[in-house]
mmCIF file of all heavy atoms in Angstrom:
data_model
loop_
_atom_site.group_PDB
_atom_site.id
_atom_site.type_symbol
_atom_site.label_atom_id
_atom_site.label_comp_id
_atom_site.label_asym_id
_atom_site.label_seq_id
_atom_site.Cartn_x
_atom_site.Cartn_y
_atom_site.Cartn_z
ATOM 1 N N ASN A 34 20.423 43.239 -8.586
ATOM 2 C CA ASN A 34 20.234 44.519 -7.850
ATOM 3 C C ASN A 34 19.227 44.297 -6.720
ATOM 4 O O ASN A 34 19.434 44.898 -5.634
ATOM 5 C CB ASN A 34 19.683 45.576 -8.834
ATOM 6 C CG ASN A 34 20.648 45.948 -9.924
ATOM 7 O OD1 ASN A 34 21.880 45.734 -9.760
ATOM 8 N ND2 ASN A 34 20.204 46.459 -11.017
ATOM 9 N N SER A 43 19.111 44.383 5.119
ATOM 10 C CA SER A 43 18.765 43.489 6.221
ATOM 11 C C SER A 43 19.739 43.689 7.418
ATOM 12 O O SER A 43 19.325 43.471 8.536
ATOM 13 C CB SER A 43 18.847 42.038 5.724
ATOM 14 O OG SER A 43 20.137 41.742 5.302
ATOM 15 N N THR A 66 31.695 44.739 -0.059
ATOM 16 C CA THR A 66 31.546 46.091 0.440
ATOM 17 C C THR A 66 30.093 46.347 0.870
ATOM 18 O O THR A 66 29.249 45.664 0.375
ATOM 19 C CB THR A 66 32.008 47.127 -0.646
ATOM 20 O OG1 THR A 66 31.791 48.470 -0.090
ATOM 21 C CG2 THR A 66 31.153 46.972 -1.855
ATOM 22 N N LEU A 182 12.423 35.001 -7.041
ATOM 23 C CA LEU A 182 13.305 34.969 -5.900
ATOM 24 C C LEU A 182 12.693 35.525 -4.637
ATOM 25 O O LEU A 182 13.150 35.213 -3.528
ATOM 26 C CB LEU A 182 14.584 35.782 -6.189
ATOM 27 C CG LEU A 182 15.477 35.208 -7.306
ATOM 28 C CD1 LEU A 182 16.702 36.109 -7.442
ATOM 29 C CD2 LEU A 182 15.926 33.778 -7.013
ATOM 30 N N PHE A 188 15.493 35.047 0.173
ATOM 31 C CA PHE A 188 15.058 36.303 0.719
ATOM 32 C C PHE A 188 14.375 36.113 2.147
ATOM 33 O O PHE A 188 14.459 36.975 2.992
ATOM 34 C CB PHE A 188 14.020 37.003 -0.201
ATOM 35 C CG PHE A 188 14.725 37.643 -1.311
ATOM 36 C CD1 PHE A 188 14.967 37.028 -2.522
ATOM 37 C CD2 PHE A 188 15.048 38.974 -1.286
ATOM 38 C CE1 PHE A 188 15.575 37.625 -3.579
ATOM 39 C CE2 PHE A 188 15.615 39.665 -2.266
ATOM 40 C CZ PHE A 188 15.953 38.985 -3.502
ATOM 41 N N SER A 278 -40.531 65.120 27.096
ATOM 42 C CA SER A 278 -39.469 65.051 26.061
ATOM 43 C C SER A 278 -38.751 66.383 26.019
ATOM 44 O O SER A 278 -37.557 66.482 25.683
ATOM 45 C CB SER A 278 -40.053 64.730 24.696
ATOM 46 O OG SER A 278 -40.997 65.724 24.356
ATOM 47 N N ALA A 296 -17.512 77.510 24.858
ATOM 48 C CA ALA A 296 -18.085 77.536 23.522
ATOM 49 C C ALA A 296 -18.730 78.880 23.226
ATOM 50 O O ALA A 296 -18.654 79.445 22.190
ATOM 51 C CB ALA A 296 -19.072 76.433 23.327
ATOM 52 N N PRO A 335 -26.301 99.908 22.057
ATOM 53 C CA PRO A 335 -27.222 100.620 22.910
ATOM 54 C C PRO A 335 -28.636 100.050 22.753
ATOM 55 O O PRO A 335 -28.969 99.451 21.739
ATOM 56 C CB PRO A 335 -27.168 102.084 22.322
ATOM 57 C CG PRO A 335 -26.705 101.919 20.949
ATOM 58 C CD PRO A 335 -25.789 100.730 20.913
ATOM 59 N N PRO A 379 -15.551 125.990 63.654
ATOM 60 C CA PRO A 379 -15.191 126.780 64.845
ATOM 61 C C PRO A 379 -15.405 128.282 64.631
ATOM 62 O O PRO A 379 -15.301 128.784 63.476
ATOM 63 C CB PRO A 379 -13.659 126.505 65.064
ATOM 64 C CG PRO A 379 -13.525 125.196 64.319
ATOM 65 C CD PRO A 379 -14.450 125.178 63.206
#
Side-chain angles (χ1 to χ4, degrees):
N34 294 339
S43 63
T66 179
L182 294 181
F188 281 89
S278 60

